[in-house]
Amino acid sequence: MPVDQHEERQLDPPWLQRSLDRHYAWGLVFMAVLVVSYTVYQWREPHLRADAAGTQVVNSTSQGRDIFASRCATCHGDNATGGQTAPTLNSKQFLEAASDPVIRNIVSSGIPGTAMPTWSIDFGGAMTQQQIDAVVSYLRSLEPKAPSIPNWRQAAQVK
Amino acid sequence: MSTDLTEEQKPELETAAHSTGSGLIGRARQTEVWRSVFRHPPLNSPRGRALQSFSNVFLHLYPVKVPVRVLRWRYSLRLGFIAIVLFTVLVVTGVYLMFFYSPTPAAAYVDMVQLKTGIGFGQLVRNVHRWSAHLMVLVVVVHLVRVFYAGAYKRPRQFNWVLGMALLLITLGFSFTGYLLPWDQLSYWAVTVGTNMVNYVPLVGKYVRDILLGGKQISGATLQRFYALHVAILPLSLTLILPVHIWRVRKDGFAVERGSTGALDPKACPGRKASTAALATAAQNGDGDGRRVRLLGVVDRESVTQEEQVTDDTVFAWPHLMVRHVVATLGVCATVLALGVWFQAPLKDIANPNLTPEPAKAPWYFEGLQELLSRFNPLVAGILLPGAAVMSLLALPYIDRNPATEARNRKVAISLFSMFLGLAVVLTVIGFAFRGPGWQWQWPWKHSYIEW
C-alpha cells in the first residue's frame, strides 16, 4: 500500500493532494460524530424507553378500565370483583397464575364451551389487539391490591 | 489456461493484472478471485483510473474526469448530492419503519407508541426519518435557489430544470403524505388544513380532494391512499426521474462557473492556445455548449493530444470527486443521526376529528400558503398566486432567454426571483412561527406554536 500511495501522489498536483487529505480529516470528524451520537443514544435509550413505557401503561390502564366497564363487567362484575356467571379476576391467585400473554390469549380467542367469547377483531370479535392489551394492562394494575380469593373460578363453576 | 503462462506474461494478457504489492493485500490482489472482480489495472496510472470507471457499474455513474472547479464545495454546495443521500437515508429508515406499521386508523397510532417502547431502534429510526424528511425538503428548495442564482438552468440545461421542479413537487408529496401516517392530532389536522386548500381550485377542486382523501373527510381510506402514495407511487416516480436528472447533468455538461461566459472561456484558462480558444468560442456560439467533449469531435486526434497537455483542467473523478462525496455522505449521516438522538419526533394524542387544535397548521412548507390564504381572497391566494408561481418556475428556462449567467447581466430575472423568494420566505416564517390560536399574531418567544 505505501508503494501505491507514493505513486498516486505523483499523479496529482500537491495542492490537490492536500485538499484530499483535508477531506479525509473531515471524514474522520464525521465518523467521530457518528460514534459519539450512537454512544449517547445507547446511554439515553433505556431511560427514554422506560419513560415512554410508563406513560403508555398509564394511558393503557385508563383505557382498559373503560373497556372493562363496558364490555367485561356484565359477566366479570364491576372492577372485576366477580359476577354471577364468570370468574373473579380481581384475585391475587388468578393474577399470579396468569401471565400477560395468557390473559391476552384468553381474551383474544375466548374459551370454547363457556360463555367467554372471542374478542379479537382478527377472529371476528369486537376489540383490536391494542384494546385487548389495554384490558390486560388494567387487570395487571389491580394486582398490587388484589384480595386473596383462592376459589376465584367459583363463579364459573356455579354456572 | 492461465497456469500455462509464466508470471511475466500474465500482466500483458490480463488488463486485470495488479501491481505486485507486498503483504496480505498485495498477495490478495494477485488471486484469481480478486482479478475476476476488479478487472482494471493498478490505480497509480491515468489509464488505471479511467479503466476503473469503465469497468465498474457504480463508478460508471460518474464521469471519468471532472473539471477541477466541480470539486470545490462552493461550486454547488453539493446540495443535489446531499438530497440524494437524504433520500437514501429515508428509503432505508422508511423500510425499517414499514416492518412495524399498518396503515389503519386502529393500528397506526398504536404502532407509533410501540416504536417508542417496544421496538429496537424504533424511535431513533423514526426520529432520523422525520428529520431527514424535513431536511430533504429544505435542501431541495435551497438547491433550486442556488441553481437559479448560478443561472445553471439556462441552455442547454432547460429541461433538467423542469425535471428538478418535478422532483421538488414529488419531494413535497412525499413529505405531505408521510405527515399523515402517524395518525396523531398533529398529522390529522395538518393534512386537513393542507387538503382543504385544494378546495379552492375552481370547478375540479372538490373532486380532486375527494379522490385524494377517498371521501369527504380524512378517514381510514385516506390513510390507505396516502400510504400507497408514500411507499409505492412516489418512490417509483422519484427513482424514475432522478437518474434522468443526474444523467442530464453529465450529458448537458457541468454548469458554467459564475462570472464566466462558458467552460472554455479563454480568460478562464490562460494557458490555452489562441486557436483552440477561437474554436471553443465557435462551438459555444454554435449550440451554446462549449464542452471539451464536443471540441474533441471537431479537431483531429493529434491536436487533441497536444491540447490535453496545455489546457487540461480536469481531474479524475476517482478519487477526487468520490472522496468528497463519501465525506459529504458521512456528514449527512452524522447530522441526521445526531438530530435523531437529541430531538424526538413529535407524537401528540391520537387523531380526533371532533377536537380541532388551536391553531391548526399545515406542514411548515405550506404555512406560507396558509398565511397568504388568511390575508387574501381564497381564489387569489389559494390558486392564482401559487399556480402562477409554480407555472412560471416550471417555464422559467423557456421564459428567461437571456444567455448570460453573471448577476450584472440578468438584473431583471434576479430581482423578480429574489422578490418572490423573499415573499415566500417571509410568509412561511410568519405562518410557521408567528401565528397562534385563531391565526392571531403571536411572538414565538412569548408562546411558541411551532410544530414540526
Side-chain angles (χ1 to χ4, degrees), chain A residues 4 7 19 44 49 56, chain B residues 29 44 117 119 320 324 341:
Chain A
D4 283 0
E7 286 170 8
S19 162
R44 293 182 68 196
R49 207 181 260 212
Q56 191 189 12
Chain B
R29 283 179 169 176
N44 51 15
T117 57
I119 289 158
H320 300 292
R324 282 159 174 82
V341 166

Side-chain angles (χ1 to χ4, degrees), chain B residues 305-325:
Chain B
T305 328
Q306 288 170 355
E307 290 314 315
E308 285 272 349
Q309 290 161 355
V310 184
T311 66
D312 192 6
D313 66 337
T314 60
V315 292
F316 280 102
W318 190 97
H320 300 292
L321 185 59
M322 257 164 261
V323 164
R324 282 159 174 82
H325 277 180

Side-chain angles (χ1 to χ4, degrees), chain A residues 31-104:
Chain A
M31 278 190 235
V33 172
L34 281 167
V35 170
V36 168
S37 301
Y38 183 76
T39 316
V40 170
Y41 168 76
Q42 281 293 346
W43 169 61
R44 293 182 68 196
E45 170 70 357
H47 310 289
L48 288 175
R49 207 181 260 212
D51 285 355
T55 319
Q56 191 189 12
V57 166
V58 171
N59 291 340
S60 192
T61 305
S62 117
Q63 191 197 356
R65 185 177 296 118
D66 295 345
I67 295 171
F68 193 91
S70 65
R71 296 198 187 278
C72 317
T74 334
C75 302
H76 290 284
D78 291 343
N79 305 319
T81 47
Q84 294 301 311
T85 55
T88 306
L89 302 180
N90 190 1
S91 132
K92 201 160 77 105
Q93 285 74 10
F94 165 72
L95 289 167
E96 274 172 5
S99 67
D100 285 1
V102 167
I103 304 181
R104 201 176 292 128

